[in-house]
Amino acid sequence: MLAIAMAATGAAALAQSAARYPSQPVTIVVPFAAGSAADGMTRLCAQELTRKLGQSFVVENIGGASGTIGTDKVARSAPDGYNLVIASGATVTVAPYLFPNLPYDPKRLVPVSTMGDSPIVVAVPAKSPIRSLAELVAAARAAPGKLSFGSGGSGSAAHIAAEVFQWKTGTRFTHVPYRGVAASVPDLAAGRLDALFVSYPAVRPMTQAGSIRVLAVASEKRSDMVGMQVPTAAEAGVKDYVQSAWNGLMGPAGLPDEIVSKLNAALNEILRDPAIVKRLAGMGMTPIPGTPAEFAKRIDDETGEMQALTKITNISAN
């Protein structure tokens, strides 16, 4: 009886706390290095959440192990809404297939809202003799394993995009993982890497500066963001190669519905604000507001795709 009474008291306290939420600063963990498009988007949304909800939303970068360290910290936290995490394919749909001893169960993280995504592009150094996607495929097929690609770590969006590209084209590159994709971009510009399969915001500054060349965008249609002169992968000869890097907000298991609803409503307002949409476009991000149920379905669908992909490719955590 005592245990039941204590549980009831705890549930009542959590419900009362949810009604007052937020009553203290909230930490949003970005489980990757600072400087990424997801980091910029999160900081912008945190500023707006602070303004809308009357408490500070603070961004904390906790990188390492393909985003699983920061994600695990939030997964272990109290379900009171004061520790949240930016989720991505790397941490919730890919990680279970890369890390047999993953310390958290992605299915127990609570979806709050999708936030944004950005198109994956195939990029090479501007000084590279490779000037088209067809030439990249031909060069990779001629010398399997000779060409290299960088990524933000095993299981990151850039890594998965490259693995899918190799699968679709029958090529083999050498994977060079970095601690965050931003660290790989200068090496591409300098010619120390041969290619990147990466979200456009990561290479946008150096593309505009003329040190990186974008060969194709992995989307259904050409992108205003990337430049209408850049062909889609399909137009450039690689059929069915459609990839994007998405992010969304999640919390630990047990996060009350009242808190999820309050955060979701605030984020949806932010992501539909024309001024915010314009600022995100400047970062190379497209906002994707939506319901928690829609976010959960996106995760489930992609998890199934990843399960199939890992059965036919050599993706590993090494």
Side-chain angles (χ1 to χ4, degrees), residues 18-38:
R20 298 194 307 267
Y21 179 86
S23 59
Q24 65 189 59
V26 178
T27 297
I28 302 178
V29 171
V30 175
F32 302 103
S36 66

Side-chain angles (χ1 to χ4, degrees), residues 75-227:
R76 294 173 183 272
S77 67
D80 54 14
Y82 293 102
N83 287 281
L84 306 168
V85 67
I86 297 300
S88 67
T91 57
V92 297
T93 66
V94 178
Y97 301 104
L98 288 185
F99 304 102
N101 298 315
L102 190 67
Y104 60 91
D105 181 357
K107 293 181 180 179
R108 287 183 55 77
L109 289 168
V110 176
V112 174
S113 178
T114 47
M115 291 173 65
D117 68 4
S118 56
I120 293 290
V121 297
V122 183
V124 297
K127 61 185 178 183
S128 170
I130 295 171
R131 305 193 67 85
S132 71
L133 203 61
E135 289 180 4
L136 179 65
V137 171
R141 286 176 176 167
K146 181 179 179 181
L147 299 185
S148 62
F149 73 88
S151 81
S154 296
S156 65
H159 178 205
I160 298 304
E163 292 288 353
V164 174
F165 183 83
Q166 292 175 93
W167 167 43
K168 295 284 186 180
T169 58
T171 55
R172 181 164 59 84
F173 291 70
T174 294
H175 180 204
V176 183
Y178 289 75
R179 290 182 62 84
V181 73
S184 68
V185 177
D187 277 0
L188 179 72
R192 289 186 287 271
L193 291 171
D194 295 298
L196 282 178
F197 304 81
V198 66
S199 63
Y200 180 62
V203 296
R204 183 175 183 171
M206 288 195 177
T207 298
Q208 293 174 336
S211 54
I212 286 175
R213 180 186 306 124
V214 173
L215 302 180
V217 57
S219 56
E220 296 281 1
K221 299 177 180 178
R222 294 194 183 198
S223 167
D224 286 329
M225 187 183 303
V226 177

Side-chain angles (χ1 to χ4, degrees), residues 47-72:
Q47 291 173 5
E48 294 301 308
L49 286 169
T50 296
R51 184 178 62 81
K52 281 185 174 294
L53 299 180
Q55 284 288 342
S56 296
F57 280 72
V58 181
V59 177
E60 181 181 7
N61 294 92
I62 303 177
S66 299
T68 61
I69 294 175
T71 304
D72 182 51

